[in-house]
Amino acid sequence: ASLTAGDADTQLLLERLLARAEAIPVPKSRSDLLRLYVSSELAYSGNPVELAVWERGVEGPTSELIIADLERRESGERSLVREVEETGRPVLREFGSAQGAQLVVAYPLDSNHVFTAVAAPRTQLISDDPFAALLGLDPPRIIEPPYRLTVSPVSVPRFDSLQTRWDRQGDELHSDWRLQALFGMLHAHAEVDLRPLDALVPRGGLLVLLDLGVFFLLWLPVAASDLALPRWFRGVVRRWAGSYRAQLTLAIFLAFAVPTIAFGFWTFRRMASNDLTLRSLLVEETLRAVRGSADAPSLVRESQRLDAPLFEYQAGRLVRTSDPLYDALRPVGLFIDPAAVKDLVLGYEETFTHRLNVGSVPTVFGHRVMGPDLILATAARRNQLTLERQERDLLALLALAVALGALVALWLSGRTAQAFARPIGALQAAADQIASGARELPSLGRTPPREFRPVYGAFIHMTAELSASESKLNAARRRTEAVLRDVANGVIAVGAHGEVLLANPSAERMLGVPLSAGVVLSQSTAADFAAPLERFLQSEHDEAAFDFAHRGREYRALLTRLSRGDGGVVITLDDVTDLLHAQRLFAWGEMARQVAHEIKNPLTPIRLGVQHVSRAHADQRADFGSILERNVDRILQEIDRLDEIARSFAKFGTRPDDRIIGDPTDVGRVIRDVVELERLGAASVEWIVDIPDGLWANAKDSELREVLLNLFENSRHADARRVHVTARRAEQLVIIAVADDGSGVPEDSLSRVFEPRFSTRSSGSGLGLAISKRMVESWGGAIHLRSAAQNGTVVELTLVAEPAP
């Protein structure tokens, strides 16, 4: 096919170039032509261009700028120049060449000068200017073509056929054929580099991986449509995030990738160094081939002969170049590089080569000493196709190696993780069998790796020790069960959640339910036993005791915590029915004696008062009225005293079963009401209340008031000047504390303060604290007192917390 540049875009660019040439003064030098070319759009089109200025009467162009290695057709340009000189009008023609069709335009600048421009097609047949960077132009395009094509006139008879024949020679395909050009037949020779296997395999592998990646991206939306894939992916990420395999994969990949990348970097540096060495040798050989450059014409002739630019320095200063354009542009500056001076002048070297940046283009420059204070320099051609091909081949190999390294690392990590997981899995399975009750050592499979043999030995030893310990524990349990079987007291061992671990027959007989292992005790027994047990399990106390009635019998439960955390609790049950009956009989007898004594005391004043009234009436005394009134008041006071003794005795003698269980009570409101009442009757006492809002507990409103009133009255009778009342919530309990600074209770009397008829005062029935204790305990609470003589008293009420109704 015919190569042509006669397209509309190229013609438009030439028209714009002519318009710009018309707007500027007549270009008379190469510098003017270069300035015109750089300012035009042709500089960015990529078309090879030749610009020239012709003067009337001169055979050749007076100034000329060639940007690429174009095939010269001066005869055609000269004919156009003559036509323009004769007609005075611009001319555009298309000429044929072995490099394809060329557009040639001639334009009259004035009566004596004609401007011509030649534009050739963008084709691999035209080589770029290897020294374009020295002119300040963009670096020549370095694009490796898929083929190499050479065109020449037909001169070999065996290529007269128009049929194309391809022959393979090593890693290349060769073909020769004829093609019809504008000016005749041409012989075309093509070479297609198939590349060796070591260059194709990495690219093929990367293409396969790329295809797999594209297939995965196309499959991903379909797989993610049912949300199963995202869940699977999140599960994989969670498993991999802290897994040993992820760490092993990363370690193997880094162990493979880091040396590979380092080797590639070193190879890149080595290839660049070799390329620099090769270019340096070519530059040095070019300088050695120069045959004198004393004057400018000789320098120009040598530059044309060697096809290389030459720069001449005298005493370190640029004095002349092989091209006047370089004189104007000075691409490497006016003075020689100091590094060259250091090696050539101070180091007595004959030649010096190094890399300089011309603009942004790295260029190899060589220098040679030609005489005293005379140094000649030249630049290497910019043609890195071979280097860039090697770099691309190496980059493809490195990319494939890193990708395969990642896949191999993933596969090796899986194999290694399985190798490690196999003995660990055998140990886990054996441990599960032992945990499920196996008495003999389970099979651990085949012989483990050497690193796991100490672990296997320790596991076998542990299993033997565990079996021996279990045997000893079973023997101890049998002895304990044998001992507990004949114990009259009930013994129950429960876990942290209330499940029965051990129970003797006496406990089952007392509670009336079977207590086999695993039964939750708080769910299978009576509420009066389950509720205190549940509170103790949730508390932090180490010991506790409570009384409860069940099936007509009365029992005392003692709870002892074995350890903190998940430790269990041992419950000891005592049947105290007969003991309490005997104590009640004794207590009632003692109470009857005391009550009789108390009743006798008021009867004596009553008897004396009645006798006094009787005598006064018999004697007809004049003051009988006052005597009667005084004795009646005394008799009524003693009757009130008898009534108080009867009511206290009645409250103390109430059976627990007859009492009403408490209700949710606003503790703060009751305390504040009772304190306000005390402030009215005891103004000399400072009352301090520290109670949060919303504090509710299980109690009876009226009875709680009576208990608090009794405690406050005791503080007032102890000559307290300051009473501090606080209330707080501790987990499931509400604790009320009454602290005073009164005379306190002697240490030897602390153990008897809650006994009936015990009092530290001469007046009173001695039943106040005993009645208060019975009321508080009937609500499921407790009351405690601590004091010391002359150091005040602190009384604590512990009630069960309740949510606000």
Side-chain angles (χ1 to χ4, degrees):
S2 174
L3 298 175
T4 178
D7 55 72
D9 292 339
T10 307
Q11 293 185 27
L12 180 62
L13 291 176
L14 287 175
E15 291 174 3
R16 292 177 180 175
L17 176 67
L18 294 179
R20 186 159 188 84
E22 185 181 13
I24 63 175
V26 177
K28 297 181 179 179
S29 65
R30 294 188 68 203
S31 299
D32 296 336
L33 293 176
L34 178 63
R35 199 158 36 247
L36 174 62
Y37 172 73
V38 171
S39 62
S40 69
E41 297 182 28
L42 273 174
Y44 308 101
S45 66
N47 290 85
V49 176
E50 175 188 334
L51 306 179
V53 175
W54 304 72
E55 189 174 353
R56 184 183 296 273
V58 179
E59 183 66 20
T62 56
S63 59
E64 190 176 27
L65 177 65
I66 301 175
I67 305 303
D69 187 15
L70 291 174
E71 181 182 350
R72 303 305 305 277
R73 305 187 64 84
E74 290 188 8
S75 59
E77 296 176 49
R78 192 178 297 111
S79 64
L80 290 182
V81 170
R82 292 193 187 101
E83 183 179 348
V84 170
E85 289 176 347
E86 293 174 358
T87 63
R89 294 192 301 270
V91 177
L92 176 66
R93 294 283 189 277
E94 184 178 273
F95 291 93
S97 70
Q99 297 173 336
Q102 298 177 352
L103 283 180
V104 183
V105 63
Y107 184 82
L109 296 176
D110 54 22
S111 59
N112 293 322
H113 296 87
V114 176
F115 171 75
T116 61
V118 180
R122 296 183 290 271
T123 172
Q124 296 294 339
L125 294 174
I126 303 176
S127 301
D128 293 311
D129 185 0
F131 302 107
L134 298 178
L135 300 179
L137 302 177
D138 290 335
R141 56 189 183 275
I142 301 178
I143 302 174
E144 182 180 6
Y147 56 87
R148 291 188 297 276
L149 184 66
T150 57
V151 180
S152 61
V154 176
S155 59
V156 182
R158 67 188 182 92
F159 295 137
D160 292 341
S161 174
L162 293 177
Q163 293 182 355
T164 303
R165 296 187 303 270
W166 290 95
D167 297 322
R168 179 161 185 163
Q169 300 177 12
D171 295 325
E172 293 181 347
L173 285 178
H174 293 257
S175 179
D176 295 273
W177 70 94
R178 291 191 309 163
L179 56 86
Q180 180 68 44
L182 295 176
F183 56 87
M185 300 300 295
L186 293 177
H187 164 226
H189 176 75
E191 296 178 5
V192 180
D193 190 358
L194 301 178
R195 306 302 306 278
L197 191 62
D198 57 356
L200 296 178
V201 168
R203 287 173 168 80
L206 290 177
L207 285 176
V208 171
L209 294 178
L210 179 61
D211 292 341
L212 292 176
V214 172
F215 173 77
F216 176 75
L217 291 178
L218 295 176
W219 168 80
L220 192 61
V222 179
S225 59
D226 60 351
L227 301 179
L229 182 64
R231 291 194 297 269
W232 173 83
F233 181 75
R234 286 194 297 269
V236 170
V237 170
R238 283 195 298 268
R239 289 195 302 271
W240 268 68
S243 67
Y244 171 74
R245 183 178 180 183
Q247 303 176 17
L248 188 60
T249 302
L250 181 61
I252 296 176
F253 175 73
L254 291 178
F256 177 81
V258 171
T260 303
I261 295 174
F263 172 75
F265 178 76
W266 176 84
T267 306
F268 275 117
R269 294 289 300 272
R270 189 68 177 174
M271 288 191 301
S273 176
N274 292 339
D275 180 72
L276 178 61
T277 302
L278 179 60
R279 291 175 182 275
S280 300
L281 291 175
L282 293 176
V283 169
E284 291 176 2
E285 291 300 321
T286 301
L287 291 174
R288 287 191 176 94
V290 175
R291 297 192 293 263
S293 57
D295 53 8
S298 299
L299 196 65
V300 172
R301 284 195 302 271
E302 291 299 307
S303 174
Q304 293 175 351
R305 183 176 67 85
L306 299 173
D307 194 17
L310 296 176
F311 302 84
E312 189 173 303
Y313 293 90
Q314 186 73 37
R317 182 184 179 90
L318 182 65
V319 293
R320 67 178 59 88
T321 67
S322 60
D323 190 335
L325 199 55
Y326 297 147
D327 290 334
L329 296 178
R330 294 171 183 170
V332 292
L334 181 60
F335 298 98
I336 195 170
D337 189 86
V341 176
K342 181 179 179 182
D343 271 33
L344 297 175
V345 178
L346 302 180
Y348 302 101
E349 297 286 345
E350 180 185 2
T351 60
F352 172 74
T353 306
H354 67 150
R355 193 189 299 270
L356 285 177
N357 286 333
V358 180
S360 60
V361 182
T363 308
V364 177
F365 272 85
H367 303 75
R368 181 188 176 197
V369 177
M370 304 297 292
D373 295 334
L374 182 64
I375 297 176
L376 193 64
T378 186
R381 290 173 172 269
R382 175 176 165 79
N383 187 0
Q384 294 179 290
L385 285 178
T386 302
L387 177 61
E388 291 194 353
R389 172 184 287 187
Q390 294 175 352
E391 290 179 347
R392 286 194 296 270
D393 291 345
L394 179 60
L395 185 61
L397 179 61
L398 287 177
L400 180 62
V402 172
L404 292 180
L407 296 177
V408 170
L410 185 62
W411 179 75
L412 285 179
S413 65
R415 297 285 296 177
T416 307
Q418 290 176 2
F420 277 99
R422 190 177 298 110
I424 295 176
L427 289 175
Q428 180 183 1
D432 291 340
Q433 293 182 26
I434 293 176
S436 61
R439 295 295 180 265
E440 297 181 358
L441 177 65
S443 175
L444 296 176
R446 60 185 180 183
T447 304
R450 184 178 300 275
E451 292 80 5
F452 279 88
R453 291 177 186 176
V455 180
Y456 270 52
F459 183 81
I460 294 172
H461 179 71
M462 179 203 70
T463 304
E465 292 290 331
L466 184 62
S467 178
S469 299
E470 186 178 5
S471 299
K472 295 179 181 179
L473 181 62
N474 291 333
R477 180 180 295 128
R478 288 192 294 270
R479 289 194 297 270
T480 302
E481 292 175 352
V483 172
L484 294 178
R485 189 178 300 111
D486 298 330
V487 173
N489 294 342
V491 179
I492 307 172
V494 298
H497 303 289
E499 69 278 9
V500 175
L501 303 178
L502 178 67
N504 65 348
S506 299
E508 294 181 345
R509 185 179 62 255
M510 291 178 180
L511 297 179
V513 293
L515 300 177
S516 56
V519 174
V520 180
L521 190 59
S522 58
Q523 298 177 1
S524 59
T525 55
D528 51 359
F529 175 77
L533 174 60
E534 193 70 26
R535 288 196 297 270
F536 179 79
L537 291 174
Q538 297 176 3
S539 68
E540 297 182 355
H541 300 297
D542 292 330
E543 291 185 357
F546 63 90
D547 297 333
F548 69 96
H550 185 59
R551 298 195 305 175
R553 306 289 293 180
E554 295 187 8
Y555 302 95
R556 174 172 292 274
L558 177 64
L559 291 79
T560 304
R561 197 181 301 277
L562 296 179
S563 61
R564 291 288 180 185
D566 294 335
V569 176
V570 175
I571 306 170
T572 304
L573 302 178
D574 290 333
D575 188 346
V576 294
T577 304
D578 297 335
L579 177 61
L580 290 179
H581 181 69
Q583 289 178 348
R584 287 194 187 98
L585 291 177
F586 178 77
W588 281 112
E590 182 67 17
M591 178 63 68
R593 186 184 63 80
Q594 293 181 2
V595 170
H597 177 74
E598 290 295 329
I599 292 175
K600 181 180 178 181
N601 288 336
L603 290 178
T604 299
I606 291 174
R607 184 184 298 108
L608 293 176
V610 172
Q611 292 177 354
H612 188 196
V613 170
S614 177
R615 285 196 303 271
H617 182 271
D619 295 341
Q620 298 292 320
R621 294 183 56 174
D623 57 349
F624 177 77
S626 60
I627 293 173
L628 177 63
E629 183 177 358
R630 186 169 57 254
N631 282 278
V632 168
D633 290 341
R634 182 179 300 132
I635 290 171
L636 291 176
Q637 290 176 1
E638 295 301 329
I639 291 174
D640 291 340
R641 184 178 175 186
L642 285 173
D643 183 62
E644 179 184 356
I645 293 172
R647 281 189 288 106
S648 298
F649 184 72
K651 286 185 178 181
F652 183 76
T654 304
R655 293 177 55 191
D657 295 343
D658 296 337
R659 302 193 60 83
I660 302 175
I661 300 175
D663 300 320
T665 303
D666 189 348
V667 173
R669 180 182 58 81
V670 173
I671 295 175
R672 293 186 184 95
D673 291 347
V674 177
V675 169
E676 289 299 324
L677 181 63
E678 285 291 333
R679 283 174 177 163
L680 296 176
S684 61
V685 180
E686 179 185 1
W687 300 89
I688 301 174
V689 180
D690 185 9
I691 302 171
D693 294 331
L695 207 60
W696 292 75
N698 184 42
K700 296 294 291 182
D701 188 293
S702 58
E703 292 182 353
L704 180 59
R705 292 175 183 272
E706 185 174 346
V707 170
L708 293 174
L709 188 61
N710 182 269
L711 297 180
F712 294 163
E713 285 295 310
N714 288 343
S715 297
R716 187 170 61 83
H717 288 303
D719 299 327
R721 291 291 176 262
R722 185 172 180 271
V723 179
H724 189 190
V725 185
T726 61
R728 59 186 176 87
R729 179 163 183 165
E731 295 184 355
Q732 302 299 321
L733 301 176
V734 173
I735 300 176
I736 304 172
V738 180
D740 62 50
D741 58 352
S743 57
V745 179
E747 185 176 356
D748 56 351
S749 301
L750 281 176
S751 60
R752 303 182 58 200
V753 292
F754 294 108
E755 293 181 3
R757 302 301 304 165
F758 176 82
S759 176
T760 58
R761 295 183 284 116
S762 58
S763 61
S765 63
L767 294 176
L769 288 178
I771 295 174
S772 298
K773 182 175 185 298
R774 177 161 293 198
M775 290 180 181
V776 172
E777 289 179 349
S778 68
W779 307 328
I783 183 170
H784 304 281
L785 183 147
R786 60 179 185 273
S787 177
Q790 308 304 322
N791 287 327
T793 303
V794 177
V795 181
E796 284 191 354
L797 298 179
T798 302
L799 304 178
V800 179
E802 292 284 351

